[in-house]
Amino acid sequence: MIKMGGSPSRPLMTSLKHCTLWKADRSPACRAVLMALDAMNMDIHEVDINMDREEHKSPGIVSMNPLQTLPILKDRDLILSDSHAITTYLASRCCTETSKFLLPPDPGSRALVDQFLHFNSCVLYPQYKAASNPILRGTLRHVDKKTNDEIQCAYADMEQMLAKRPWFSSGNWPSLGDISLAATVSTLNILVPIDVCNFPKLSCWLHRMAEEKFYCTANKKGLSEFSRTIGELS
Ligand SMILES: N[C@@H](CCC(=O)N[C@@H](CS)C(=O)NCC(=O)O)C(=O)O
């Protein structure tokens, strides 16, 4: 395990003065950004949005992001509304030894991290939404069979991806790909528990991620909040 984050009290080294992040801790996409920030010891102004009260649909948020999703990052005139774009932007801005581990500068390693980020964005995140939205909106009390089967297939895909590497990166350390995937997989694990016998490598990877300081400081609280909400609704 490499230690890239700060202590659980979030010691802060780099401050991005003009950046603001609008987020909800319950959201895996927001937690991916929070983990990336802690892994890089970066401090930015954070604004909590209550999604239950539909604050993400307020005119101020919609003017920044017509898609009405969180997270949103504003850096002067630049507005980004996708967690993958936000984390790679922050790593490029940060440009420290740690950020180069998270997002390697050499083209091949970088492309591999991008590939894992795209897998999270295009495959896993839609499945997370298909599984969670009906429960959060009160139309279902459990994950439907089709979505459950698709998530099992995604777990099998990730098990294969981990056959030749310990992390979702080109090296022996976690990357931004691991961070995004850990935010989503840890949340999916509440909805569709990962069977350790079927997916030993994926389970082991998630346990290793859970030992990283940035996971403890930036993922655990929101994950517990999500778990509590799902428990109350299902
Ligand atoms: N691809 C986007 C997805 C963002 C997203 O869908 N966020 C969810 C929260 S997890 C959201 O804001 N949903 C709004 C809603 O459910 O109304 C990202 O990675 O940032």
Side-chain angles (χ1 to χ4, degrees):
M1 176 174 55
I2 63 162
K3 296 288 178 191
M4 296 192 300
S7 78
S9 58
R10 299 177 76 182
L12 304 165
M13 284 165 51
T14 308
S15 177
L16 290 171
K17 267 191 199 155
H18 302 279
C19 281
T20 299
L21 176 73
W22 285 264
K23 51 100 178 173
D25 290 342
R26 193 173 80 190
S27 149
C30 296
R31 279 184 270 118
V33 176
L34 296 174
M35 280 196 274
L37 284 166
D38 278 10
M40 294 185 280
N41 283 337
M42 287 172 106
D43 180 26
I44 64 173
H45 178 229
E46 294 172 9
V47 179
D48 281 301
I49 297 294
N50 187 321
M51 296 182 78
D52 290 332
R53 282 196 237 123
E54 304 212 319
E55 287 175 3
H56 59 298
K57 299 184 180 174
S58 67
I61 295 288
V62 176
S63 69
M64 287 190 288
N65 178 16
L67 299 180
Q68 307 179 3
T69 58
L70 298 172
I72 302 170
L73 179 87
K74 188 170 188 300
D75 185 3
R76 292 191 173 89
D77 291 339
L78 175 70
I79 296 173
L80 297 173
S81 55
D82 177 87
S83 62
H84 312 86
I86 292 171
T87 55
T88 51
Y89 172 71
L90 291 172
S92 309
R93 280 279 318 262
C94 182
C95 204
T96 59
E97 280 311 304
T98 303
S99 72
K100 287 177 194 161
F101 279 108
L102 291 172
L103 188 68
D106 81 275
S109 303
R110 161 76 198 239
L112 205 56
V113 173
D114 283 335
Q115 184 173 293
F116 294 128
L117 291 173
H118 287 298
F119 178 78
N120 186 65
S121 177
C122 301
V123 177
L124 222 48
Y125 216 81
Q127 290 174 354
Y128 155 73
K129 285 190 155 185
S132 64
N133 280 351
I135 301 175
L136 293 173
R137 290 171 189 167
T139 52
L140 279 181
R141 296 178 76 97
H142 54 81
V143 178
D144 66 87
K145 184 174 177 330
K146 179 174 170 285
T147 306
N148 184 83
D149 290 350
E150 283 171 2
I151 291 168
Q152 297 290 351
C153 285
Y155 288 165
D157 289 341
M158 285 185 279
E159 185 73 12
Q160 285 298 317
M161 291 177 201
L162 290 169
K164 287 190 185 150
R165 51 173 54 93
W167 303 99
F168 291 100
S169 76
S170 63
N172 212 13
W173 52 81
S175 72
L176 287 183
D178 291 276
I179 286 180
S180 276
L181 288 166
T184 315
V185 173
S186 61
T187 314
L188 277 176
N189 190 32
I190 291 165
L191 298 161
V192 179
I194 298 168
D195 183 333
V196 65
C197 298
N198 288 338
F199 309 116
K201 291 189 169 64
L202 184 63
S203 304
C204 176
W205 164 81
L206 190 57
H207 278 107
R208 277 185 281 120
M209 281 302 286
E211 287 170 5
E212 294 290 340
K213 277 189 181 160
F214 57 75
Y215 183 106
C216 299
T217 56
N219 195 50
K220 276 193 172 162
K221 177 172 158 277
L223 191 61
S224 301
E225 194 185 312
F226 177 82
S227 179
R228 221 175 19 253
T229 307
I230 291 295
E232 285 163 7
L233 295 170
S234 56

